[in-house]
Amino acid sequence: MSEAAPRHIPVLGHEAVGLLAPRAGGIYVDGTFGAGGYSRLILRTADTRVIAIDRDRTAIAGGFDLVQSAGGRLTLVEDRFSNLAEVCAAQGYDRVDGVVMDIGVSSMQVDQAERGFSFRLDGPLDMRMGGDGPSAADVVAHASETDLANIIYIFGEERYSRHVAKAIVVARKDAPITTTRALADIVGKVVRSKPGEIHPATRTFQALRIFVNEELDELYQALAAAERVLKPGGRLAVVSFHSLEDRIVKTFLTERSRTGGGSRHQPELALAAPSFTVLTKRPVVAGDAEVAANPRARSAKLRGGERTDAPAHAPDDLPGWPTLASVMTAGGTRAGR
């Protein structure tokens, strides 16, 4: 396959694809296509086929050259990766040999001021990966002070979340908060940082981005979907970039690989047969050279598992944290939880 020079190097790309161990004739899912880095690496193995998914139309459009150079072995689909089972079925595949995911916002999205992901570049307070649904500006304008505090605390792990939420509510009474710089300035007045620490607005921006795009719900659902579509012996590789994501992946693989329960004082717990064997007892992290070349790699963690022949487990209930639909209709938390 002839290929143009990639626009970026995927974080832990060789490690993640190495974990998949692509084989000739295998069918693989790149759940977060982005600039196509993982897809390119998989396609280097002869006769592999890749179904690549991205909810960002810009990423899909940017992948057309790779589709052409892949000679029919790459299919791009604009969709959420939580729907990967349905996407595979629509392409005629009920089972696949591997799934790789790179969780979170891409460097390309962050570097586009008009997308509103970063306070480093002033732009509209948008943050939507797909362009549909409420934007971050909509959430900031309509969410209650309590909901804002919960969002910023849960998804940003910001200990000053109540102070930030109060400052936002006070500021929006005077004027709508519609730009990244305006929000960063508001947060900077109530969250202080010392030299060398992250920007005061980092956690608030992270929280809003995760919330607007329902990223953690998507991850829960995507992991369950991967479990359903992977063949026995098929492999899952997930690269995450902060503790919330990594905790979900770790818990999923731990629960799905558990073989027993109870203790000598209590009867053995009735558990479903393990659907995965964990391939990474500890997360794989980037080496010094990769971190030096790409500082974003510093926080990356790769975890993986191999599918057994046991049936997929029942999907986990989603946590009772605030949801986009409930907050925008003043409900607050997930209905019924």
Side-chain angles (χ1 to χ4, degrees), residues 119-120 152 156-161 163-165 168 180 183-207:
F119 46 78
R120 293 187 297 104
I152 295 166
E157 300 181 302
E158 173 57 75
R159 58 178 175 168
Y160 298 110
S161 59
H163 299 284
V164 174
I168 289 172
T180 56
L183 179 60
D185 288 345
I186 292 166
V187 177
K189 293 176 181 177
V190 293
V191 179
R192 305 296 181 183
S193 65
K194 298 178 182 178
E197 294 182 341
I198 62 174
H199 189 283
T202 299
R203 294 187 178 92
T204 295
F205 271 66
Q206 171 188 295

Side-chain angles (χ1 to χ4, degrees), residues 233-282:
R235 291 188 167 192
L236 170 67
V238 184
V239 177
S240 61
F241 289 88
H242 62 69
S243 60
L244 293 173
E245 299 164 345
D246 181 60
R247 197 177 305 143
I248 291 170
V249 178
K250 178 182 178 181
T251 300
F252 174 84
L253 289 172
T254 299
E255 293 294 328
R256 295 308 198 269
S257 62
R258 184 171 294 168
T259 56
S263 69
R264 63 194 179 106
H265 303 294
Q266 294 180 335
E268 188 77 6
L269 298 175
L271 295 176
S275 58
F276 278 95
T277 300
V278 175
L279 298 174
T280 49
K281 298 301 182 183
R282 294 182 179 179

Side-chain angles (χ1 to χ4, degrees), residues 98-110:
V99 176
V100 63
M101 308 176 192
D102 175 341
I103 311 303
V105 67
S106 74
S107 56
M108 295 184 304
Q109 291 167 326
V110 170

Side-chain angles (χ1 to χ4, degrees), residues 70-85:
R73 296 196 290 128
L74 172 63
T75 301
L76 291 183
V77 180
E78 183 183 342
D79 207 329
R80 295 180 177 228
F81 72 154
S82 59
N83 296 326
L84 67 88

Side-chain angles (χ1 to χ4, degrees), residues 7-313:
R7 286 174 290 172
H8 85 308
I9 299 172
V11 174
L12 292 173
H14 290 283
E15 292 86 349
V17 175
L19 202 64
L20 287 186
R23 58 177 180 78
I27 310 299
Y28 298 89
V29 177
D30 182 350
T32 48
F33 178 71
Y38 296 113
S39 290
R40 283 186 178 88
L41 291 173
I42 294 169
L43 290 167
R44 289 180 180 176
T45 299
D47 299 324
T48 50
R49 170 154 188 186
V50 176
I51 302 168
I53 304 168
D54 206 296
R55 65 196 289 187
D56 188 339
R57 186 166 297 178
T58 303
I60 296 296
F64 287 162
D65 287 346
L66 184 56
V67 170
Q68 291 182 334
S69 67
R73 296 196 290 128
L74 172 63
T75 301
L76 291 183
V77 180
E78 183 183 342
D79 207 329
R80 295 180 177 228
F81 72 154
S82 59
N83 296 326
L84 67 88
E86 292 80 4
V87 169
C88 290
Q91 297 300 319
Y93 299 100
D94 292 327
R95 292 295 185 96
V96 300
D97 296 283
V99 176
V100 63
M101 308 176 192
D102 175 341
I103 311 303
V105 67
S106 74
S107 56
M108 295 184 304
Q109 291 167 326
V110 170
D111 290 341
Q112 296 171 348
E114 66 273 15
R115 304 297 298 272
F117 285 105
S118 175
F119 46 78
R120 293 187 297 104
L121 305 168
D122 192 25
L125 189 60
D126 193 319
M127 299 193 188
R128 293 172 295 179
M129 291 182 181
D132 57 331
S135 68
D138 294 327
V139 173
V140 166
H142 297 290
S144 69
E145 183 175 332
T146 298
D147 284 341
L148 282 171
N150 286 335
I151 290 165
I152 295 166
Y153 180 75
I154 293 170
F155 300 117
E157 300 181 302
E158 173 57 75
R159 58 178 175 168
Y160 298 110
S161 59
R162 293 183 181 178
H163 299 284
V164 174
K166 183 175 182 179
I168 289 172
V169 170
V170 170
R172 74 187 184 188
K173 292 178 181 178
D174 295 330
I177 305 168
T178 59
T179 67
T180 56
R181 181 167 297 165
L183 179 60
D185 288 345
I186 292 166
V187 177
K189 293 176 181 177
V190 293
V191 179
R192 305 296 181 183
S193 65
K194 298 178 182 178
E197 294 182 341
I198 62 174
H199 189 283
T202 299
R203 294 187 178 92
T204 295
F205 271 66
Q206 171 188 295
L208 286 170
R209 189 206 79 219
I210 289 174
F211 182 71
V212 164
N213 295 291
E214 301 174 296
E215 292 178 35
L216 301 189
D217 284 2
E218 285 283 302
L219 178 55
Y220 268 100
Q221 294 162 358
L223 292 171
E227 180 184 24
R228 295 196 303 273
V229 303
L230 281 169
K231 300 175 182 178
R235 291 188 167 192
L236 170 67
V238 184
V239 177
S240 61
F241 289 88
H242 62 69
S243 60
L244 293 173
E245 299 164 345
D246 181 60
R247 197 177 305 143
I248 291 170
V249 178
K250 178 182 178 181
T251 300
F252 174 84
L253 289 172
T254 299
E255 293 294 328
R256 295 308 198 269
S257 62
R258 184 171 294 168
T259 56
S263 69
R264 63 194 179 106
H265 303 294
Q266 294 180 335
E268 188 77 6
L269 298 175
L271 295 176
S275 58
F276 278 95
T277 300
V278 175
L279 298 174
T280 49
K281 298 301 182 183
R282 294 182 179 179
V284 178
V285 298
D288 293 341
E290 182 169 10
V291 172
N294 181 3
R296 182 172 179 254
R298 182 178 292 107
S299 61
K301 293 182 178 180
L302 165 65
R303 295 185 187 271
E306 183 174 295
R307 190 70 168 83
T308 70
D309 59 2
H313 291 204

